[in-house]
Amino acid sequence: MAARITNWIFAAFLAAVAINLILLGAKLISLGGSWYYSIAGLALLAVVLLLVMRRSASGILYAVIVAATIIWSIQEAGLDLIALLPRLAAWLVVGLWFLSPWHRAAMKDRGDAKWMAGATAAGVLLLAVSAFQKGSVIEFDRTLSAATVSDDDWTDYGSTSKGTRYSPLEQITPDNIDQLEEVWRYETGIPFEFKNTPIQIASQIYACTAGNIVVAVNAATGAESWRFNPENKLSGSTPEAMKAGNTFTRGCRGISYYEAGDNYEGACPARILTGTTDARLIAINAETGERCQDFGTNGEVDLRQGLGPHPIFAYFHSSVPQVAGDNVVVGGWVVDNQELGNPSGALRAYNAVDGSFVWAWDIGRPRETQLPDDGEPLTLGTPNVWSIMSYDPELDLLYAPTGNASPDYYGAKRRDIDDQFNASVVALRGATGDLVWSYRTVYHDIWDYDVPAQPTLVDINRNGEEIPTVAVPTKRGEIFLLDRRTGEPLWPATDCPDGSQPTAAGECPVPQDPAPGDWVEPVQPFSGLPRFNESRWEKDMWGLTPLDQLYCRIEFRKMRYDGHFTPPMPGGGVLGRDKTWGGTFQYPGNQGGYNWPSVSVDAENGLLVAQPMLLGNRIYMQTGAEREAESGRPMPPASDNAATGQGAWDPDAPRYGITSRFVSKWKIPFTGIASDMPCFEPPYGRLALIDLNNNRLLWSRPIGNMRELGPFGIKPNMPYFEVGTPVYGGTTTTRSGLIFQVGTLDSTFRAIDIRNGKTLWSTKLPATANGAPITYTQNGRQFVVVTVPDNAEDGVASGGGRLIAYALPDDK
């Protein structure tokens, strides 16, 4: 009797699954999707009827479903374990019931279990074979020059002003990395974000924390030397005040170091330069932590000068001031995706000794480098430089990555000057601010594809010719390699995603028909370097179970997606298209691809270490009325902005682009619980090595395990299951052949062999690092230091962010 009751319960469970598969599968078919789920649901319903009739043929029919699912899975996913799991795992686990003694006891007749046993074995074998698939590694020659290429200090955000994140140090090697150990730990006591990559000069490490508080720490011992609190007016200067802010208003990515020349006679020859989120540029004595009184007024310069009237939150500086000779150059973040007429995105340079204004690069006044007369502001609403710049002292060229004019996803009100420099890298003369060249990575960018990463300057050898280049990583997942003297692309695309032939400049056709009132270019630039933005289609949708995957397929089909550069479309919300979620699927999403951490290089061999994040977004466009109806709060007025000459918004124009992660919201019946897992297959983070000299992908692998990333917010603690998590940190490459890597959502610090991508050493961190490791020597000993943010939920009650140093044992 107990066996029969259990059989009925099991049949009821399968019936619920079958009905969901049939109904949701029919919805998918109506959207032009796969017929598999409805057919599988009908077959499963037949299994339920056989179970109710207590016929052992139920197990045979279930085995047939499993066998058919195996064939279908191979057709869609090949031998990709991660892609096969949601298609097969649930069927195999549930199918074990048909091999159990309870099933046999409940049946009227004696069936042959070999059908189900065979189907199960075939499924397990397929998963096992797919688990041992390995990526290819191309053998390559790696040579070293007779002399090192830079000093032992880490003097800039990217190691040097060229942003290479490369160190000539060789004490820690692939052969002894297994002996690396933690040697000191410094707790800042400052909670919340610690996204900074520190710098190191002589005996000190300098870092900035949340609230733009700057600390100096002994590089050999971790003992604090001094700290400077700028009393930030936007984020506050205490943990309690900071709690009211957010990750933007508190953040600080980095600081800079400047040393005055021999003619300097003041009291502050070596100084730390920091830009604050309340828009001040401050010079701090590197030895004492006191303000440099000969810089600006009381050691600071007001960065709001020349920007015109604006709220305090509309402009701030969270990036790294770039030292270019005797100048320090700043950009800034402006509030985006809202209205026209934001503060100017102009770059400005100040004398690094006295803080006096030197030049401005204002795209609205291309032949003027001084501030406008009569107190007029710099051109409002122009593309800004919110990320990190690089500088080539030999060429006196500053390389600045630009964003876009607001709003992000609707460009009908953009001016020609906005489109001329949006999503670009621009090369400016460091001494004068004169434009030397510019290169756009997106034409008329309506995807929020700002150039987000520090350009990396590296010399390559192409066909025997030494060429100085700049590598430009983009949110698109593409890296453009340009001659840094002229801006000419060295490896333009030779093939297009749609199979067509690109233009000589590497331009390819892209999807057309944008949102009403907007327009798109017929072609976009593509790089010939290995890409990490391959198109995602229905078969690439993912999920914890077949029902999760089915939900994601339906939602994918509701959106418009024609491949890379599909325009953002209306949809979603209360007044959206058909009152359903629609819009556009964007891959990669607006966080990248690449972002703040950029790339690192083996500077002596022209090898580039790429670590793109591969997450997709759902974008839907709304008018102001639709946005108000969905959010329940009034939107900014659609004003006539006479200051920019762009005119008033059409009230029916869908200027608001709402973007969100594309994750599964299918809920377990009667619980309201959703897995919130991404709706498309991993990897979401990848590590790869590219030979820039001959444009070859040498190896590529998923990076990041399932230690802390799982469904329903569960931390599975599976450190050996490398699926490739999202990545928010960076890499550092050393002369000895190591890649130091952080930033995956498993709170892990790794050392990787550059020759093959294998992890040689790893250790658990208190939280996920957002910067990049730095390495240097003190007293003949090589150290590697990572910054780790506060991991307390309230951000107040813990020890704050940490600097953690590693080295070989002292006797080595």
Side-chain angles (χ1 to χ4, degrees):
M1 187 62 181
R4 293 185 187 180
I5 294 173
T6 307
N7 182 63
W8 291 336
I9 295 172
F10 180 66
F13 163 72
L14 289 188
V17 173
I19 291 170
N20 272 278
L21 287 173
I22 293 168
L23 297 179
L24 293 175
K27 177 66 173 177
L28 180 61
I29 292 171
S30 73
L31 293 169
S34 172
W35 287 59
Y36 162 78
Y37 295 93
S38 278
I39 294 172
L42 290 169
L44 191 59
L45 199 58
V47 170
V48 171
L49 293 175
L50 290 170
L51 282 171
V52 172
M53 296 168 62
R54 298 170 56 201
R55 299 295 183 184
S56 59
S58 59
I60 297 175
L61 180 54
Y62 191 91
V64 171
I65 296 174
V66 172
T69 299
I70 290 173
I71 296 171
W72 170 76
S73 298
I74 293 174
Q75 289 177 337
E76 282 209 332
L79 295 179
D80 184 338
L81 174 64
I82 302 301
L84 290 170
L85 278 173
R87 291 171 168 86
L88 288 177
W91 289 105
L92 296 177
V93 171
V94 171
L96 295 176
W97 169 261
F98 295 97
L99 299 176
S100 71
W102 300 283
H103 170 69
R104 291 195 298 271
M107 296 299 100
K108 289 181 178 179
D109 55 341
R110 292 283 180 178
D112 194 341
K114 68 181 181 182
W115 291 90
M116 192 61 228
T120 302
V124 171
L125 179 62
L126 174 61
L127 294 176
V129 170
S130 64
F132 288 96
Q133 299 298 305
K134 295 182 178 179
S136 62
V137 176
I138 297 177
E139 298 292 333
F140 62 93
D141 294 326
R142 184 172 180 272
T143 60
L144 298 174
S145 61
T148 57
V149 295
S150 66
D151 60 29
D152 293 348
D153 288 351
W154 194 277
T155 57
D156 284 82
Y157 178 89
S159 178
T160 71
S161 65
K162 295 183 177 181
T164 60
R165 276 160 284 277
Y166 177 72
S167 170
L169 301 180
E170 301 180 90
Q171 186 179 102
I172 303 172
T173 71
D175 294 328
N176 61 26
I177 187 65
D178 60 325
Q179 301 174 53
L180 200 67
E181 61 185 17
E182 182 179 328
V183 291
W184 57 256
R185 181 177 297 210
Y186 166 72
E187 293 190 350
T188 66
I190 302 167
F192 302 107
E193 293 77 20
F194 196 15
K195 299 178 179 180
N196 170 243
T197 297
I199 59 177
Q200 173 270 327
I201 295 96
S203 65
Q204 299 294 313
I205 293 175
Y206 303 95
C208 64
T209 70
N212 298 113
I213 297 171
V214 179
V215 295
V217 174
N218 185 284
T221 66
E224 183 177 310
S225 302
W226 55 256
R227 69 172 52 197
F228 172 81
N229 190 337
E231 303 293 334
N232 193 304
K233 301 177 184 65
L234 187 61
S235 68
S237 57
T238 66
E240 290 74 20
M242 289 181 195
K243 191 173 183 179
N246 58 49
T247 185
F248 294 106
T249 61
R250 291 189 296 256
C252 181
R253 287 287 175 172
I255 52 182
S256 295
Y257 175 81
Y258 174 79
E259 192 167 319
D262 295 337
N263 294 329
Y264 177 76
E265 297 179 352
C268 194
R271 55 190 61 190
I272 301 299
L273 296 160
T274 181
T276 65
T277 57
D278 61 357
R280 291 174 289 159
L281 177 62
I282 304 176
I284 308 164
N285 190 311
E287 294 184 3
T288 66
E290 301 293 327
R291 291 173 180 264
C292 296
Q293 294 297 331
D294 56 359
F295 183 85
T297 302
N298 191 30
E300 67 181 53
V301 170
D302 181 3
L303 295 180
R304 298 191 187 279
Q305 293 179 350
L307 299 185
H310 61 273
I312 188 173
F313 58 81
Y315 171 88
F316 57 80
H317 193 279
S318 63
S319 188
V320 182
Q322 180 61 58
V323 173
D326 289 326
N327 294 333
V328 54
V329 185
V330 294
W333 184 94
V334 297
V335 63
D336 55 4
N337 206 25
Q338 297 294 323
E339 290 297 308
L340 306 174
N342 281 329
S344 177
L347 283 175
R348 289 166 291 167
Y350 299 89
N351 182 274
V353 174
D354 61 22
S356 59
F357 175 84
V358 180
W359 57 257
W361 178 67
D362 178 5
I363 66 174
R365 303 179 309 122
R367 288 170 293 279
E368 299 289 337
T369 58
Q370 297 303 302
L371 293 174
D373 296 331
D374 302 322
E376 289 295 312
L378 297 157
T379 308
L380 300 180
T382 54
N384 61 319
V385 177
W386 56 262
S387 191
I388 298 159
M389 295 170 274
S390 300
Y391 177 66
D392 185 333
E394 289 82 16
L395 296 175
D396 186 33
L397 286 183
L398 180 82
Y399 301 90
T402 71
N404 294 297
S406 182
D408 291 320
Y409 301 105
Y410 190 71
K413 293 287 185 178
R414 302 259 178 91
R415 301 158 294 187
D416 289 343
I417 57 171
D418 298 327
D419 281 338
Q420 183 181 358
F421 293 103
N422 74 193
S424 301
V425 59
V426 296
L428 306 173
R429 194 67 65 195
T432 63
D434 292 325
L435 176 67
V436 178
W437 59 259
S438 66
Y439 181 88
R440 282 188 293 170
T441 67
V442 183
Y443 303 152
H444 189 62
D445 182 10
I446 53 173
W447 298 269
D448 195 21
Y449 276 153
D450 309 343
V451 178
Q454 181 181 27
T456 296
L457 313 186
V458 56
D459 297 339
I460 69 168
N461 188 313
R462 184 178 182 184
N463 299 324
E465 179 187 2
E466 293 288 335
I467 303 175
T469 73
V470 52
V472 185
T474 68
K475 286 184 182 181
R476 294 174 49 196
E478 305 229 354
I479 302 171
F480 291 86
L481 190 69
L482 313 174
D483 187 318
R484 67 176 182 262
R485 299 165 297 188
T486 64
E488 292 296 316
L490 293 171
W491 297 112
T494 56
D495 64 292
C496 291
D498 65 355
S500 63
Q501 285 297 114
T503 67
E507 298 163 323
C508 293
V510 293
Q512 299 294 294
D513 301 321
D518 209 342
W519 58 275
V520 292
E521 292 276 5
V523 296
Q524 291 284 355
F526 282 77
S527 171
L529 290 176
R531 302 171 189 154
F532 299 96
N533 57 4
E534 65 277 7
S535 296
R536 296 285 187 137
W537 305 106
E538 183 197 322
K539 70 180 181 62
D540 301 314
M541 296 304 105
W542 201 63
L544 189 64
T545 66
L547 288 172
D548 260 324
Q549 190 181 59
L550 176 52
Y551 168 89
C552 291
R553 285 182 180 237
I554 290 171
E555 293 304 307
F556 176 79
R557 283 285 182 176
K558 287 180 181 179
M559 295 183 284
R560 179 183 175 187
Y561 183 66
D562 304 322
H564 199 45
F565 284 121
T566 302
M569 302 301 293
V574 178
L575 300 177
R577 186 178 59 190
D578 299 328
K579 296 186 179 179
T580 64
W581 293 96
T584 294
F585 178 60
Q586 180 191 33
Y587 182 83
N590 68 334
Q591 288 190 311
Y594 300 93
N595 213 293
W596 288 95
S598 195
V599 298
S600 64
V601 295
D602 177 340
E604 295 181 73
N605 291 275
L607 306 176
L608 183 144
V609 179
Q611 185 171 257
M613 181 164 66
L614 306 171
L615 289 176
N617 281 6
R618 175 176 230 149
I619 303 172
Y620 59 98
M621 305 294 296
Q622 293 183 323
T623 65
E626 290 170 339
R627 186 63 183 144
E628 284 189 16
E630 181 170 312
S631 65
R633 64 178 185 271
M635 294 291 103
S639 59
D640 184 347
N641 199 315
T644 61
Q646 290 161 297
W649 280 109
D650 177 349
D652 297 323
R655 68 183 182 275
Y656 289 102
I658 314 303
T659 181
S660 62
R661 293 283 177 82
F662 185 35
V663 298
S664 175
K665 294 298 181 181
W666 178 79
K667 295 179 174 61
I668 299 174
F670 310 112
T671 68
I673 299 174
S675 71
D676 284 327
M677 292 294 286
C679 260
F680 46 92
E681 296 165 0
Y684 311 123
R686 185 167 284 280
L687 189 71
L689 185 70
I690 301 170
D691 188 336
L692 298 177
N693 304 288
N694 52 29
N695 191 16
R696 287 195 305 173
L697 179 64
L698 300 176
W699 53 258
S700 178
R701 56 163 284 195
I703 190 74
N705 59 53
M706 291 187 65
R707 187 196 301 269
E708 298 183 14
L709 187 66
F712 313 111
I714 298 171
K715 296 183 178 182
N717 197 25
M718 299 172 65
Y720 302 107
F721 197 38
E722 294 271 344
V723 297
T725 74
V727 288
Y728 292 96
T731 61
T732 289
T733 305
T734 71
R735 196 171 197 258
S736 65
L738 289 172
I739 301 168
F740 289 112
Q741 181 274 334
V742 294
T744 45
L745 292 186
D746 52 15
S747 302
T748 301
F749 174 31
R750 295 175 176 84
I752 294 165
D753 193 328
I754 197 172
R755 296 169 296 183
N756 50 38
K758 292 182 179 178
T759 299
L760 303 176
W761 172 90
S762 66
T763 188
K764 183 78 165 57
L765 296 173
T768 295
N770 290 151
I774 71 169
T775 185
Y776 57 87
T777 59
Q778 288 288 292
N779 304 319
R781 190 181 190 191
Q782 184 180 353
F783 293 80
V784 185
V785 171
V786 295
T787 55
V788 183
D790 189 349
N791 58 356
E793 291 186 5
D794 63 4
V796 174
S798 76
R802 303 165 180 85
L803 287 165
I804 305 177
Y806 301 85
L808 298 175
D810 208 11
D811 58 348
K812 297 298 178 182

